[in-house]
């Protein structure tokens, strides 16, 4: 497989993960059995998943000028990610995410953007010479929307495949400004929020996805949790089968899916095949605790079973 080049224009956070038997009610204090501090943020997670699988990855992101900012840069370097376009913002804290994980593996997440809110189109311009050498550029919505629109337009000028994971969903996202985007990857809830359409049934999901395609988006990948994923193009639909595992911690599973999809696609696989491998990678990640900590290396992934 060829070594793909991936650019991530997105966020980084420090994850403050509390493992709890149940969520506290309003005004209630309860004791939780365990806590972990880890590296997270949807952009950084996707970058780390792709890098661990062997892609050449560069990150365009902002960190705060605090202890966490320095640790984030060190973590990128440890994972072999190019930090030439990671900007430390004076006087801003790094992004953090308090996360609560229940025994079922289900999670609830708060994000405090911190320095991520300072990422700007100028940062993308400064990185354009490097980004223009990438096979795939990944984006999410934990940074200002103007950065996302600007990156899509830049990538379109260079003919680069773009992937947008619209998480966390924002009603402020202007779909017409995503025109030229190659892959849009929402879950069912995000798809409903962004289109204003119901997504309860398979037929409704298809209608909502096709509405986006009608607005200039190339292909839509709807992630369906335990039901797998669905790849929708203008004239075809393909279901990606789920991989059944017993979840321990689902935090960052969506990012494992997107980051590994970018890796497999940039390595030369067709989209359905790349998505099938991504489903396997994400499933492995939820059998372990933590966010980036749970992402397998290429060797671990290869040892887990045959490629499709
Ligand atoms: O998708 C999981 C991620 O969402 C966590 O790592 C957290 O930082 C938030 O960005």
């Amino acid at each position: 497989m060829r070594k793909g080049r991936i650019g991530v224009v997105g966020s980084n956070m420090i994850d403050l993960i509390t493992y709890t038997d149940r969520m506290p009610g309003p005004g209630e204090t309860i004791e939780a059995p365990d806590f972990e501090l880890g590296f997270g943020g949807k952009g950084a997670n996707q970058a780390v998943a792709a890098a661990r699988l062997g892609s050449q990855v560069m990150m365009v992101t902002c960190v705060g000028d605090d202890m966490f900012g320095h640790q984030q840069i060190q973590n990128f370097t440890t994972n072999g990610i190019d930090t030439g376009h990671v900007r430390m913002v004076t006087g801003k804290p790094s992004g953090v995410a308090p996360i609560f994980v229940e025994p079922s593996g289900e999670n609830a997440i708060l994000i405090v953007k911190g320095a991520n809110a300072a990422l700007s189109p100028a940062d993308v311009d400064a990185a354009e010479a490097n980004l223009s050498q990438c096979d795939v550029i990944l984006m999410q919505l934990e940074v200002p929307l103007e950065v996302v629109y600007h990156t899509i337009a830049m990538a379109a000028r260079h003919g680069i495949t773009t992937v947008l994971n619209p998480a966390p969903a924002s009603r402020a996202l202007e779909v017409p400004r995503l025109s030229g985007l190659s892959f849009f990857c929402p879950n069912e809830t995000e798809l409903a929020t962004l289109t204003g359409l119901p997504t309860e049934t398979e037929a409704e999901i298809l209608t909502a996805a096709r509405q986006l395609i009608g607005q200039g988006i190339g292909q839509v990948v709807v992630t369906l949790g335990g039901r797998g994923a669905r790849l929708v193009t203008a004239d075809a639909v393909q279901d990606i089968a789920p991989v059944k595992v017993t979840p321990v911690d689902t935090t960052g599973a969506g990012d494992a899916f997107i980051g590994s999809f970018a890796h497999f696609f940039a390595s030369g696989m067709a989209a359905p095949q790349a998505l099938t491998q991504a489903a396997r990678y994400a499933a492995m990640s939820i059998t372990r605790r933590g966010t980036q900590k749970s992402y397998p290396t290429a060797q671990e992934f290869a040892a887990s079973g045959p490629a499709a």
Side-chain angles (χ1 to χ4, degrees):
M1 247 185 342
R2 71 184 279 273
K3 193 174 174 113
R5 286 161 304 179
I6 294 171
V8 180
V9 177
S11 61
N12 66 89
M13 308 270 171
I14 291 292
D15 287 353
L16 312 156
I17 311 179
T18 300
Y19 294 91
T20 181
D21 294 332
R22 66 175 176 86
M23 296 297 279
E28 186 187 22
T29 301
I30 60 172
E31 186 180 333
D34 219 346
F35 173 82
E36 270 188 34
L37 197 63
F39 294 103
K42 296 182 195 303
N45 294 347
Q46 293 173 20
V48 167
R52 291 225 174 123
L53 282 166
S55 279
Q56 199 177 311
V57 182
M58 65 170 289
M59 185 86 204
V60 181
T61 194
C62 284
V63 297
D65 65 345
D66 51 13
M67 169 181 88
F68 289 153
H70 291 281
Q71 290 173 352
Q72 283 287 4
I73 293 172
Q74 181 55 52
N75 180 55
F76 289 138
T77 304
T78 304
N79 281 284
I81 295 168
D82 179 349
T83 59
H85 293 281
V86 176
R87 182 162 65 91
M88 186 170 274
V89 186
T90 309
K92 289 278 178 203
S94 292
V96 295
I99 299 176
F100 302 90
V101 180
E102 294 187 274
S104 64
E106 204 48 71
N107 65 66
I109 303 179
L110 281 167
I111 60 161
V112 185
K113 281 185 182 167
N116 290 293
L119 192 70
S120 75
D123 291 302
V124 177
D125 290 342
E128 182 168 349
N130 298 78
L131 286 170
S132 66
Q133 302 303 309
C134 291
D135 301 299
V136 175
I137 296 178
L138 289 177
M139 293 156 286
Q140 318 75 31
L141 299 184
E142 290 179 333
V143 297
L145 296 180
E146 284 304 325
V147 174
V148 172
Y149 305 139
H150 193 75
T151 305
I152 293 171
M154 181 277 293
R157 283 199 303 278
H158 292 285
I160 300 166
T161 298
T162 40
V163 178
L164 174 60
N165 172 214
S170 163
R171 281 186 200 282
L173 187 70
E174 298 171 51
V175 175
R177 297 185 70 186
L178 305 180
S179 183
L181 175 69
S182 317
F183 290 96
F184 189 70
C185 307
N187 62 25
E188 292 150 287
T189 316
E190 290 154 358
L191 183 63
T193 304
L194 294 164
T195 58
L197 294 173
T199 56
E200 309 267 300
T201 66
E202 300 301 310
E204 287 171 349
I205 289 172
L206 187 58
T207 303
R210 287 255 161 85
Q211 174 177 294
L212 294 170
I213 291 170
Q215 289 176 282
I217 289 170
Q219 308 188 36
V220 178
V221 178
V222 188
T223 54
L224 305 167
R227 287 170 16 249
R230 175 166 269 210
L231 171 64
V232 183
T233 66
D235 47 20
V237 181
Q238 187 146 353
D239 285 327
I240 309 300
V243 176
K244 299 281 181 207
V245 290
T246 303
V248 171
D249 182 353
T250 57
T251 312
D255 301 326
F257 181 78
I258 305 284
S260 61
F261 165 64
H263 162 80
F264 293 118
F265 188 78
S267 310
M269 282 187 194
Q273 201 187 354
L275 289 166
T276 302
Q277 293 304 311
R280 274 186 58 212
Y281 188 83
M284 267 186 88
S285 79
I286 67 175
T287 62
R288 310 166 177 200
R289 269 189 174 199
T291 313
Q292 293 176 18
K293 215 181 106 183
S294 72
Y295 295 171
T297 61
Q299 292 72 18
E300 290 170 324
F301 183 68
S304 75

